[in-house]
């Protein structure tokens, strides 16, 4: 028998494979150690700067700045740009101009512009404003769900079911997010099986993709791999994305691990916008520029122009009067 | 249960588990902060601060701490107090304190000052060698051979460094085969370990894998180390790939001391705290006490009047 096909390896867990075919043990061990690894040829970049990024910045920016940022990002080739959030202004004042933003941006034919919709009310407003894709935000941690959206995971799923059913009827795709996938600021470590359960629910309700968020950035390649192992037993890798935070500097290593396991969609934020609300002053979202640098260096295609992303990053940092969190942007501006 | 009540170490113990990849069980961290770090900082620190830093790092459990450099003070004034530092530090049993020695003269001065291990610095790029140490790669290797011969006779261990392994600020791309040749020569001369330095931090995991493939054909992987710079944020990803390829020695600098001299204001060395966080999260042993390491980082940053470059340190202080 020749090499075990990669597709087979990905379907079966390693332990199960060894159990069924003991003679495979040493061969698989060897293959794990081989110097060349398989990586996706193409990675889809999901830019969350204008929403997740700006929502978590101390400074508020004027509507025209948001619109210009999104327009600049559209020019870079980014295929998905999260534009705004239809959450009540009471909770997220930074996104109060959601309708204006969505209606004023120049929508590139190469990009999609999902918006957050926590419930039916937000969904209806989003559709009225012209949204063609929406996103719902669940959590793998009960406590985080209670503290963040004031309801249990189960109750949130009922809310999302309403949104997803209605969206389906209107042929509007829905993306799901699961926060606290690698740890919760209140509960600490989260069982990977719990994450898998929540991801599965969102996927079965009808989300075309579920983004796994390391909300407080505590994950490392070990915990990332373990979590993905359990999640991928329930949902195919083609329907998954990773949303890594760089609070502990682990984001790129975690993203690399995810790629090695077959994930090919990555969330990031231009200039690393969006600090960590649980560690004041610490970084949050991983920088789009740094992710692109790694992917392009590995020969992985993204369709995105890195220098144009750096320009968009420069623009928004000036507007926010802050330094970029992107190391690539820092290095490029400082080298002769 | 509040996340805020547990220490980062306890957190890691609960969360971390290896995914079953072929990773080393133990990684040796080579702490280069007191030499490589401080040498590349704008602010000069007093001798007693250097000594205290090294002592704190010893207490943190680091097995190798690069203490100083026996280069002429004319070129590297920050290391002018080399003898005083060597004599002043509290040497912990089992810990190694290598010092840089660019030539025989430096070697002799180092041994006189009590050094038991030295390091020599080669380059994989001709232009870099000329600009950095004013001679060709071949000439530098001849100089180093004098040092390794003398070191053998004196029973002193020698570590070799190769810089520009993933790119050169002058030549641009560097061939992995050229790196392999230089590494091989250093190894055959008697260096017990060769540290491969991504001097300008431009490397990405693909290039790192290719490089290690080429070098490990000439030098056993047990004798290799990686010295990654974080100028483009790629260090931890590059280190992870290196671990997956059998490397088990990693150079790093407490608090990420040492900017990049080729991109003013950009970061240079990868922060030891961030490397240790990743390794412990992977279930890999290092012998390092992360909270004590962070104390050492906080101390030197106060003395330098600068913020830490370590994300772990930034996050932990803010919780």
């Amino acid at each position: 028998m020749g090499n075990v096909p990669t597709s087979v390896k990905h379907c079966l867990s390693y332990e199960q494979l060894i159990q069924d075919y003991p003679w495979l043990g040493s061969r698989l061990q060897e293959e794990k150690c081989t110097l060349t690894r398989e990586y996706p040829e193409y990675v889809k970049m999901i830019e969350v700067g204008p929403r997740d990024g700006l929502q978590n910045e101390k400074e508020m920016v004027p509507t025209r700045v948001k619109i210009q940022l999104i327009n600049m990002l559209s020019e870079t080739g980014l295929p998905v740009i999260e534009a705004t959030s239809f959450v009540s202004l009471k909770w997220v004042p930074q996104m109060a101009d959601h309708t204006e933003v969505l209606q004023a941006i120049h929508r590139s034919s190469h990009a999609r512009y999902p918006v957050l919709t926590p419930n039916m009310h937000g969904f209806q407003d989003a559709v009225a404003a012209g949204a063609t894709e929406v996103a719902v935000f669940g959590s793998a941690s009960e406590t985080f769900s209670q503290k963040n959206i004031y309801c249990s995971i189960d109750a949130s799923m009922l809310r999302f079911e309403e949104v997803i059913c209605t969206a389906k009827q209107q042929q509007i795709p829905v993306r799901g997010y699961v926060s606290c996938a690698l740890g919760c600021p209140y509960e600490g470590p989260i069982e990977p099986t719990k994450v898998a359960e929540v991801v599965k629910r969102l996927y079965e309700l009808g989300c075309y993709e579920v983004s796994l968020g390391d909300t407080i950035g505590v994950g490392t390649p070990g915990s990332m791999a373990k979590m993905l192992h359990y999640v991928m037993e329930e949902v195919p890798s083609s329907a998954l994305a990773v949303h890594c935070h760089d609070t502990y500097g682990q984001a790129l290593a975690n993203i690399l691990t995810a790629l090695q396991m077959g994930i090919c969609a990555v969330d990031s934020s231009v200039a690393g916008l969006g600090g960590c609300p649980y560690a004041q002053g610490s970084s949050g979202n991983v920088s789009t520029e740094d992710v692109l640098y790694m992917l392009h260096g590995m020969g992985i295609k993204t369709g995105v122009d890195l220098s144009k992303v750096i320009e968009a990053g420069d623009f928004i940092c000036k507007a926010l009067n802050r330094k970029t969190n992107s190391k690539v942007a820092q290095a490029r501006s400082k080298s002769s | 249960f509040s996340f805020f009540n547990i220490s980062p170490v306890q957190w890691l113990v609960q969360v971390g588990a290896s995914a079953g990849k072929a990773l080393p069980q133990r990684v040796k961290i080579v702490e280069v902060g007191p030499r490589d770090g401080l040498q590349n900082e704008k602010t000069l620190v007093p001798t007693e601060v250097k000594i205290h830093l090294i002592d704190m790092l010893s207490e943190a459990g680091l097995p190798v701490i690069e203490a100083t450099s026996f280069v002429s003070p004319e070129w590297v004034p920050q290391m002018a107090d080399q003898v005083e530092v060597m004599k002043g530090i509290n040497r912990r049993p089992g810990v190694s304190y290598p010092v840089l020695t660019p030539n025989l003269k430096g070697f002799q001065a180092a041994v006189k000052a009590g050094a038991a291990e030295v390091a020599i610095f080669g380059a994989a790029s001709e232009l870099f060698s000329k600009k950095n140490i004013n001679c060709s790669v071949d000439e530098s290797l001849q100089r180093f051979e004098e040092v390794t011969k003398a070191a053998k006779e004196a029973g002193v261990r020698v570590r070799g460094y190769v810089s520009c392994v993933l790119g050169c600020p002058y030549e641009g791309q560097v061939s992995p085969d050229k790196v392999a040749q230089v590494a091989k020569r250093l190894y055959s001369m008697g260096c017990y370990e060769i540290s491969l330095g991504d001097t300008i931090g431009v490397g990405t995991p693909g290039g790192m894998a290719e490089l290690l493939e080429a070098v490990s054909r000439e030098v056993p992987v047990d004798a290799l180390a990686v010295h990654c710079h974080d100028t483009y944020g790629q260090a931890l990803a590059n280190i992870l790939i290196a671990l997956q390829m059998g490397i088990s020695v990693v150079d790093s600098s407490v608090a990420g001391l040492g900017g990049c001299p080729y991109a003013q204001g950009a970061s240079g060395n990868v922060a030891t705290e961030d490397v240790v966080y990743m390794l412990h999260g992977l279930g890999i042993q290092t012998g390092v006490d992360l909270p004590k390491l962070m104390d050492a980082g906080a101390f030197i940053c106060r003395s330098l009047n600068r913020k830490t470059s370590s994300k772990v340190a930034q996050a932990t202080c803010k919780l």
Side-chain angles (χ1 to χ4, degrees), chain A residues 64-105:
Chain A
R64 57 181 165 71
V65 169
K66 285 180 191 161
I67 292 164
Q68 189 172 347
L69 172 64
I70 294 169
N71 288 343
M72 287 180 85
L73 292 169
S74 297
E75 291 290 303
T76 65
L78 281 159
V80 185
I81 301 167
E82 202 177 58
T84 187
S85 176
F86 283 79
V87 180
S88 158
L89 346 152
K90 217 165 81 190
W91 305 122
V92 185
Q94 307 90 314
M95 298 284 131
D97 54 4
H98 37 66
T99 302
E100 220 184 315
V101 168
L102 196 55
Q103 289 181 340
I105 55 174

Side-chain angles (χ1 to χ4, degrees), chain B residues 126-140:
Chain B
E126 282 297 341
L127 266 179
F128 189 85
S129 189
K130 286 238 161 63
K131 296 228 179 200
N132 214 38
I133 52 176
N134 291 307
C135 64
S136 72
V137 172
D138 264 342
E139 283 166 349
S140 72

Side-chain angles (χ1 to χ4, degrees), chain B residues 92-151:
Chain B
R92 203 168 184 210
V95 179
S96 204
Y97 300 89
V99 300
L100 239 69
T101 53
N103 47 38
L104 195 56
K105 185 164 157 223
F107 173 78
Q108 287 157 346
V111 171
K112 195 162 163 218
E117 182 173 327
V118 300
I120 54 183
F121 240 98
S125 150
E126 282 297 341
L127 266 179
F128 189 85
S129 189
K130 286 238 161 63
K131 296 228 179 200
N132 214 38
I133 52 176
N134 291 307
C135 64
S136 72
V137 172
D138 264 342
E139 283 166 349
S140 72
L141 291 173
Q142 282 166 31
R143 260 186 226 173
F144 298 146
E145 225 157 345
E146 288 179 9
V147 174
T148 53
K149 272 206 184 85

Side-chain angles (χ1 to χ4, degrees), chain A residues 32-33 35 37 39 185-186 188 218 220 222 225 246-247 249-250 252 260 278 280 282 290 293-294 297 327 334, chain B residues 1 3 11 17 19-22 202 204 213 230-231 233-234 236 244-245 264 274 277-278 281-282 311 315 318-319:
Chain A
K32 276 196 209 168
C33 298
L35 304 174
R37 289 187 174 270
Y39 291 102
Y186 310 104
V218 288
T220 56
D246 206 34
T247 320
Q250 308 296 304
L252 285 194
Q260 288 179 349
Y278 304 96
Q280 278 307 314
S282 287
D290 298 0
Y293 185 90
M294 180 173 80
K327 290 216 160 162
K334 301 283 167 49
Chain B
F1 186 114
F3 174 75
W11 165 261
K21 284 191 166 52
V202 288
T204 53
E213 221 179 311
D230 207 34
T231 320
Q234 309 295 303
L236 284 193
Q244 290 175 343
M245 291 179 71
Q264 279 306 313
D274 300 359
Y277 185 93
M278 181 173 80
L282 280 163
K311 290 215 160 159
K318 303 288 165 50
L319 284 174

Side-chain angles (χ1 to χ4, degrees), chain A residues 2-133:
Chain A
N3 291 332
V4 177
T6 329
S7 50
V8 175
K9 273 192 278 183
H10 286 166
C11 291
L12 304 173
S13 73
Y14 177 77
E15 290 78 25
Q16 192 183 327
L17 209 53
I18 296 302
Q19 221 175 14
D20 295 339
Y21 305 97
W23 55 270
L24 269 181
S26 56
R27 182 189 294 269
L28 285 179
Q29 205 51 39
E30 260 175 74
E31 287 192 321
K32 276 196 209 168
C33 298
T34 50
L35 304 174
T36 47
R37 289 187 174 270
E38 280 174 25
Y39 291 102
E41 275 186 10
Y42 170 82
V43 163
K44 179 176 72 173
M45 298 290 296
I46 296 102
E47 173 58 46
V48 302
R51 202 281 310 165
D52 192 4
L54 292 182
Q55 183 173 316
N56 286 296
E57 286 289 324
K58 283 177 303 195
E59 297 277 327
M60 296 232 300
V61 295
T63 308
R64 57 181 165 71
V65 169
K66 285 180 191 161
I67 292 164
Q68 189 172 347
L69 172 64
I70 294 169
N71 288 343
M72 287 180 85
L73 292 169
S74 297
E75 291 290 303
T76 65
L78 281 159
V80 185
I81 301 167
E82 202 177 58
T84 187
S85 176
F86 283 79
V87 180
S88 158
L89 346 152
K90 217 165 81 190
W91 305 122
V92 185
Q94 307 90 314
M95 298 284 131
D97 54 4
H98 37 66
T99 302
E100 220 184 315
V101 168
L102 196 55
Q103 289 181 340
I105 55 174
H106 169 75
R107 298 204 211 189
S108 161
S109 53
H110 307 290
R112 289 165 21 220
Y113 302 86
V115 299
L116 240 68
T117 53
N119 48 36
M120 272 310 288
H121 184 75
F123 176 78
Q124 283 154 351
D125 285 350
V127 173
T132 49
E133 183 171 327

